[in-house]
Amino acid sequence: MKKSLKLPVAKKKPHRLEKHGDVRIDDYFWLNERENPEVLSYLEAENAYTESVLQHTKPLQEALFEEMKARIKEDDSSVPYFYNGYWYITRYEKGKDYPIYSRKKGSLDSQEEVMFDCNQMAKGHAYFKLGGISISPNNKLAAFSVDKISRRQYTIQIKNLETGEIYANKIKNTTGGSTWANDNETLFYSRKDAVTLRAHKIYRHKLDTNPNTDVVVFHETDETFNTYVYKTKSRKYIVIGSSSTLTSEYRFLNADKPYADFKVFQERIRGLEYAISHYNDAFYIITNRDNCSNFKLQKTSENVTEIEHWKDVLPYREHVLIEDIEIFKDYFVLNERENGLNKLRIISWDGNEDYYLPFDSETYTAYVGNNPEFDSDILRYTFNSLTTPSSVIDYNFKTKELTIQKEQEVLGTFDKNDYTSERVWVTVRDGVKVPVSLVYKKGIKKDGSSPLLLYAYGSYGSTIDPYFSTIRLSLLNRGFVYAIAHIRGGEYLGRSWYESGKLLNKKNTFFDFIDCSKFLIDKNYTSNNKLFAYGGSAGGLLMGTVINLEPKLYKGVIAAVPFVDVVTTMLDDSIPLTTGEYDEWGNPNDKTYYDYMLSYSPYDNVKSQDYPNLLVTTGIHDSQVQYWEPAKWVAKLRDKKTNNNLLLLHVDMDTGHGGASGRFESLKEVALEYAFLLDLEGISH
């Protein structure tokens, strides 16, 4: 493989870090100087090197991009949903990167009213993201937000939907969401700390006033909590939520009285999690109270909301995780998870009906969709699987009829019957059984000859369900097996699955992934020289740790926006997200957690050994994982590794954690990653 450029080498500038009497020398600490020309020069050198090494794959990247793009229906639109007298639609036009948000009054036959054309709004910007759109109760105004940097710091403005005028006032450094009171002139929103980017204050804004005069109605002073604001589906209350990893608290206010004081629903108790939904004269509460780790459903009068008044609605079931509730006039729907699979449970308020929607599949994803109307007999939900494109389905509570409103259209020669999926259970080193979902093209022989890409995340209780992807077809059609390891640290098998993969149990996450990898080799889904791994963000931490522990297990690894400098980041409370992460990773100011983190932190455990082929990606404006973590990690790996396998860093100098904002630009990033994998397999077309 021709390498026309020299390996980039970052200068070593030893920086002493000391904690609990332990001294670490960080040679690449200086790479966190974002404005330093020397830092930018190094990042550009890495990009140039990656470009040079992968230059011969350009035709493959282009082919991948074109075929992935060709599967997408370019002039596509969402299934319209009805809210407060209008049908709302999101649509795309052929050849354009960004969505158009529109609505029609009363009937889908009415004239379209374009609210926001993001293609026009994005002109001249390398990155563009439209945040939350909040329509005033009288349907005349829209509060909307925009991020043009990719640092998730949104600017809110208000548009008059009758005249098209965008008012001059700009509310900067917000989370992007906002909520109208019922008077059509008062707006509530959350603002971020300028340094840590923690959402810490809720403001009240009055129409046509200077945002500098906006009033703080709530200040979250606990640095481990974030705060947010929304309106209940009943439209009666404005709610301020405040949450950390382990604890939640709510305040509420009658939406007709925006200048009254917010009332605490139930003050925070460490370890008590709850979420509230309003119906008639009561609140319904999903909570882990009474050691119900998988949550139960309770209710209380809207007049007395403290915990001693909460009463059980449904008995607790130890093996069923309650994830969410959707409330309608005559029914409520529980989003449950049992044995890793989604279930939708429908219960009538009068108690006469209680049943589940049937899903006949071994592995699938189903979840409640957008149901903003309270007085409706229709439940909208989404269903897909590793082999079945996503469908938006309307279920009628009264007639029990299912109507498929839209099935994701895959252009080209796609036939879902050409693929097969399965779920296998892996007994890992401590005897626990870990599920793995797989998809591959029919006819593939389990003789070890197939390349396999194993993906996982494994943190924050975030569950990676087996979902359909048109993009992934480009790997499957070239003979790859694709697998998702549902490792501990996620919530696939309930809350205990999460608890056993965090804090001082975090290593279970890494060992699960390694043991699943070895199982797939043992069962001949793939072989040692054809196994690839992929993880992003906290999943990038997973990648960094497993290649330190088992460097010869994988032929190639992609670590996207990886969180790899765990100890240093968690000791720096000025970095976005740090303080809110203590309940996930632990607080390294406590020596017990410091020692444990240090024992697995990818950056701190790089050593002189062979490493697999590695592609690392990041974005210069990343607010979740700062760019310097992957940059430092690559620099250290390049200094320490003892073989000639590829080590590539790709830095997007325009974007942040989520990558490119345009729907086609983002495909180019995937094409680069896939070309890296396919090239290692000797597949050039």
Side-chain angles (χ1 to χ4, degrees):
M1 190 176 291
K2 185 180 178 183
K3 299 176 184 177
S4 57
L5 289 183
K6 288 195 304 181
L7 287 168
V9 177
K11 290 182 181 178
K12 291 185 179 181
K13 300 180 182 182
H15 180 84
R16 179 184 171 94
L17 297 164
E18 183 173 359
K19 191 72 178 179
H20 305 299
D22 178 60
V23 176
R24 293 177 297 137
I25 302 299
D26 187 348
D27 289 329
Y28 306 106
F29 188 85
W30 65 278
L31 287 174
N32 71 359
E33 299 168 14
R34 189 188 301 271
E35 307 301 326
N36 183 342
E38 191 177 0
V39 171
L40 295 175
S41 177
Y42 168 68
L43 297 179
E44 295 286 8
E46 286 284 4
N47 274 348
Y49 176 71
T50 297
E51 178 86 8
S52 173
V53 170
L54 295 180
Q55 182 64 38
H56 70 285
T57 71
K58 284 288 186 180
L60 176 58
Q61 290 183 47
E62 185 63 28
L64 287 165
F65 170 75
E66 291 297 338
E67 72 180 51
M68 290 188 288
K69 182 180 177 184
R71 293 191 198 104
I72 297 172
K73 189 173 187 292
E74 292 194 42
D75 54 345
D76 203 3
S77 64
S78 66
V79 178
Y81 69 87
F82 190 76
Y83 179 69
N84 197 25
Y86 282 81
W87 288 96
Y88 287 88
I89 304 157
T90 305
R91 62 180 177 83
Y92 287 89
E93 293 182 347
K94 192 172 180 61
K96 295 184 178 179
D97 249 328
Y98 293 96
I100 297 168
Y101 295 90
S102 66
R103 67 180 186 174
K104 296 181 177 182
K105 187 174 183 179
S107 166
L108 287 170
D109 295 326
S110 299
Q111 184 175 351
E112 180 187 48
E113 175 188 331
V114 173
M115 300 186 296
F116 300 98
D117 183 344
C118 294
N119 299 287
Q120 295 295 324
M121 299 168 75
K123 284 184 177 177
H125 302 290
Y127 179 91
F128 177 86
K129 181 76 170 179
L130 185 70
I133 300 173
S134 180
I135 308 295
S136 62
N138 64 6
N139 291 311
K140 295 180 179 180
L141 302 171
F144 69 99
S145 61
V146 169
D147 175 12
K148 298 175 183 175
I149 297 176
S150 184
R151 202 152 167 80
R152 302 188 183 183
Q153 292 172 280
Y154 289 86
T155 297
I156 293 174
Q157 286 186 269
I158 295 171
K159 180 176 183 177
N160 187 316
L161 296 175
E162 294 184 321
T163 66
E165 178 188 2
I166 296 177
Y167 298 155
N169 283 331
K170 295 183 177 182
I171 306 172
K172 297 182 178 180
N173 192 32
T174 77
T175 59
S178 59
T179 301
W180 291 95
N182 289 342
D183 63 359
N184 299 296
E185 60 180 27
T186 307
L187 195 70
F188 294 91
Y189 63 91
S190 51
R191 189 171 275 171
K192 294 187 170 187
D193 181 283
V195 176
T196 66
L197 303 189
R198 180 175 70 92
H200 68 315
K201 290 180 179 178
I202 303 296
Y203 284 81
R204 184 181 65 226
H205 173 75
K206 185 174 174 57
L207 199 62
D208 297 327
T209 63
N210 189 326
N212 293 332
T213 66
D214 288 357
V215 175
V216 177
V217 294
F218 176 64
H219 181 195
E220 179 51 77
T221 57
D222 188 326
E223 293 182 342
T224 67
F225 280 71
N226 285 280
T227 188
Y228 49 93
V229 63
Y230 65 94
K231 187 185 286 187
T232 58
K233 186 174 177 179
S234 66
R235 308 181 200 176
K236 183 174 181 179
Y237 292 108
I238 303 289
V239 178
I240 293 175
S242 202
S243 63
S244 69
T245 305
L246 294 174
T247 309
S248 46
E249 180 182 73
Y250 293 89
R251 289 162 168 75
F252 64 107
L253 168 79
N254 191 310
D256 291 332
K257 302 174 181 178
Y259 290 87
D261 293 328
F262 280 85
K263 177 180 183 271
V264 176
F265 189 92
Q266 163 57 45
E267 65 183 30
R268 65 192 66 176
I269 300 171
R270 181 165 174 79
L272 175 68
E273 296 177 71
Y274 70 96
I276 59 176
S277 299
H278 179 251
Y279 172 72
N280 281 354
D281 58 356
F283 281 100
Y284 287 77
I285 308 146
I286 295 175
T287 179
N288 66 347
R289 178 191 179 192
D290 302 327
N291 297 314
C292 295
S293 60
N294 275 338
F295 299 89
K296 65 178 177 178
L297 183 64
Q298 297 195 294
K299 70 176 285 190
T300 190
S301 164
E302 61 186 355
N303 299 316
V304 283
T305 60
E306 293 76 15
I307 193 169
E308 59 267 24
H309 302 290
W310 300 1
K311 304 297 182 187
D312 283 358
V313 176
L314 297 170
Y316 178 61
R317 293 159 297 158
E318 184 179 355
H319 299 295
V320 178
L321 173 69
I322 297 179
E323 294 185 320
D324 202 1
I325 186 172
E326 188 73 62
I327 286 178
F328 297 87
K329 180 182 177 183
D330 297 324
Y331 295 82
F332 67 93
V333 181
L334 289 177
N335 221 113
E336 300 180 346
R337 184 183 295 274
E338 185 174 9
N339 198 33
L341 299 179
N342 308 119
K343 294 188 170 186
L344 299 182
R345 183 180 182 184
I346 296 170
I347 303 173
S348 60
W349 289 114
D350 62 17
N352 291 330
E353 296 180 79
D354 183 348
Y355 59 94
Y356 289 90
L357 287 182
F359 299 122
D360 300 320
S361 183
E362 182 182 7
T363 178
Y364 62 88
T365 300
Y367 54 89
V368 172
N370 191 10
N371 294 272
E373 275 293 335
F374 171 73
D375 189 1
S376 174
D377 292 333
I378 302 294
L379 166 69
R380 175 162 293 172
Y381 69 94
T382 298
F383 177 90
N384 69 85
S385 73
L386 288 167
T387 58
T388 307
S390 183
S391 292
V392 176
I393 301 167
D394 282 356
Y395 174 74
N396 190 304
F397 295 123
K398 299 295 171 63
T399 67
K400 309 294 188 285
E401 290 178 334
L402 291 173
T403 304
I404 298 176
Q405 293 290 357
K406 179 185 174 106
E407 181 172 310
Q408 179 183 1
E409 194 172 340
V410 184
L411 302 184
T413 58
F414 170 75
D415 182 347
K416 62 185 177 184
N417 295 311
D418 290 341
Y419 306 87
T420 189
S421 66
E422 60 179 307
R423 186 170 64 159
V424 297
W425 295 81
V426 181
T427 302
V428 298
R429 64 192 67 186
D430 62 353
V432 171
K433 291 185 182 298
V434 176
V436 178
S437 297
L438 300 109
V439 62
Y440 45 87
K441 203 159 188 185
K442 285 181 178 175
I444 279 182
K445 295 177 181 177
K446 296 176 186 174
D447 59 3
S449 65
S450 298
L452 185 148
L453 179 60
L454 181 62
Y455 172 81
Y457 185 71
S459 292
Y460 302 105
S462 179
T463 298
I464 307 300
D465 281 310
Y467 62 96
F468 182 80
S469 166
T470 62
I471 294 169
R472 189 191 299 134
L473 295 173
S474 291
L475 285 182
L476 302 184
N477 291 345
R478 289 173 172 83
F480 264 76
V481 177
Y482 183 86
I484 302 170
H486 304 291
I487 54 181
R488 281 174 283 185
E491 219 165 53
Y492 186 80
L493 291 178
R495 190 55 178 240
S496 64
W497 203 243
Y498 170 41
E499 299 290 346
S500 59
K502 63 184 283 199
L503 297 173
L504 299 177
N505 294 317
K506 190 63 209 170
K507 289 183 182 178
N508 285 334
T509 302
F510 316 131
F511 296 150
D512 285 357
F513 190 85
I514 289 169
D515 293 349
C516 288
S517 300
K518 292 179 177 178
F519 172 91
L520 293 169
I521 293 171
D522 290 343
K523 297 300 181 184
N524 290 319
Y525 284 95
T526 189
S527 56
N528 194 224
N529 63 347
K530 289 182 173 289
L531 177 61
F532 300 86
Y534 188 114
S537 197
L541 159 67
L542 171 66
M543 295 298 103
T545 303
V546 300
I547 65 171
N548 281 335
L549 294 171
E550 295 276 358
K552 296 181 180 178
L553 188 56
Y554 307 94
K555 183 172 186 177
V557 172
I558 298 175
V561 293
F563 172 42
V564 285
D565 192 13
V566 183
V567 178
T568 303
T569 290
M570 293 304 297
L571 282 169
D572 186 352
D573 60 15
S574 72
I575 293 176
L577 304 183
T578 292
T579 55
E581 305 279 277
Y582 290 155
D583 288 332
E584 179 70 27
W585 311 102
N587 184 344
N589 293 295
D590 178 328
K591 189 174 187 302
T592 301
Y593 289 109
Y594 175 89
D595 290 343
Y596 189 76
M597 282 182 195
L598 192 60
S599 72
Y600 69 75
S601 172
Y603 182 66
D604 293 290
N605 287 282
V606 171
K607 50 184 174 285
S608 296
Q609 62 179 2
D610 289 357
Y611 278 95
N613 296 286
L614 189 62
L615 172 63
V616 182
T617 65
T618 186
I620 191 70
H621 298 299
D622 199 325
S623 60
Q624 313 302 105
V625 178
Q626 307 302 309
Y627 75 88
W628 59 78
E629 290 199 40
K632 288 168 50 177
W633 183 46
V634 167
K636 190 172 183 179
L637 280 166
R638 187 159 282 136
D639 180 58
K640 295 285 189 181
K641 70 195 279 292
T642 53
N643 60 357
N644 292 320
N645 281 342
L646 294 179
L647 175 56
L648 305 176
L649 175 64
H650 176 67
V651 186
D652 192 320
M653 304 302 282
D654 294 319
T655 69
H657 200 64
S661 54
R663 59 175 174 160
F664 301 133
E665 282 302 309
S666 62
L667 293 180
K668 293 178 181 178
E669 298 174 354
V670 180
L672 174 73
E673 294 172 346
Y674 281 11
F676 169 77
L677 297 173
L678 293 166
D679 186 54
L680 290 172
E681 267 299 292
I683 299 171
S684 59
H685 60 278

